[in-house]
Amino acid sequence: MQLADRFLIDSSLPPSLRVSPPGCPRIPLPFHTNNLTPQQRFDQCNQDRSTEPDMYTVAQTASMTGLTENEVRTLIDAGRAIAVATPEGELRLPYWQFFDPLWSYLPDIRKALRSTNPWSLLIFLDEAPGCLMGMTTRTAIERGHLRHVLVYAEWGDQ
């Protein structure tokens, strides 16, 4: 039986693929979600997202931007920077938001989305809707498609 045929029958990884090749970082297998409620799955995804490598602490963000930690917190409090809390209460910020064109357009995107919730904005920027030809909204903005992203943000709230 071909490996592709096995995936049609059983979606679990064969034992040979559960071990990372030499030199590759080990990627954890998805956690078992059958016994979780939709809210618990959502919370688990948020927890996982908040600890990914592109999410910096306030101290790391301050170091990267040349701001003080208090200045970073002021940006967060003013709603100018996206910051989400980990389950432990630590604030984490996606580092890529501090570079143009995203930094310049974050207020416009937040306004079009009509949300002050940082998770809503982060999830919106991470998603890849079909109307953007498979690009994430963040990638679409970086490639110059801000108008399409803003229309999608406004439409999505209807």
Side-chain angles (χ1 to χ4, degrees):
M1 178 182 288
Q2 297 286 332
L3 182 60
D5 294 331
R6 286 201 53 219
F7 280 124
L8 294 174
I9 298 168
D10 180 11
S11 63
S12 64
L13 288 174
S16 62
L17 294 179
R18 291 185 187 143
V19 178
S20 298
C24 292
R26 177 153 168 66
I27 298 173
L29 294 174
F31 58 92
H32 194 270
T33 61
N34 288 348
N35 298 327
L36 300 178
T37 67
Q39 183 63 50
Q40 289 171 322
R41 283 195 299 272
F42 180 76
D43 292 343
Q44 180 66 47
C45 287
N46 286 350
Q47 179 181 347
D48 293 347
R49 179 65 181 101
S50 68
T51 59
E52 287 186 7
D54 68 338
M55 301 295 282
Y56 284 14
T57 64
V58 171
Q60 290 170 322
T61 301
S63 176
M64 177 189 72
T65 60
L67 300 171
T68 66
E69 289 185 35
N70 285 338
E71 290 170 324
V72 172
R73 289 183 194 283
T74 299
L75 290 171
I76 294 166
D77 293 341
R80 183 58 179 93
I82 304 168
V84 296
T86 65
E88 297 79 28
E90 177 184 42
L91 291 176
R92 306 284 292 202
L93 300 89
Y95 80 88
W96 40 258
Q97 72 179 308
F98 295 97
F99 299 98
D100 273 331
L102 282 169
W103 182 251
S104 297
Y105 297 136
L106 274 177
D108 298 329
I109 297 163
R110 186 181 303 268
K111 183 179 176 185
L113 206 56
R114 296 182 203 112
S115 176
T116 58
N117 182 325
W119 275 116
S120 296
L121 187 55
L122 181 59
I123 291 168
F124 176 79
L125 290 168
D126 278 346
E127 72 182 342
C131 65
L132 295 175
M133 299 169 289
M135 291 184 282
T136 65
T137 51
R138 179 167 52 107
T139 301
I141 293 165
E142 291 168 346
R143 292 185 183 177
H145 302 288
L146 175 67
R147 186 175 58 81
H148 298 299
V149 170
L150 293 176
V151 167
Y152 173 64
E154 290 174 359
W155 173 82
D157 193 41
Q158 300 297 321

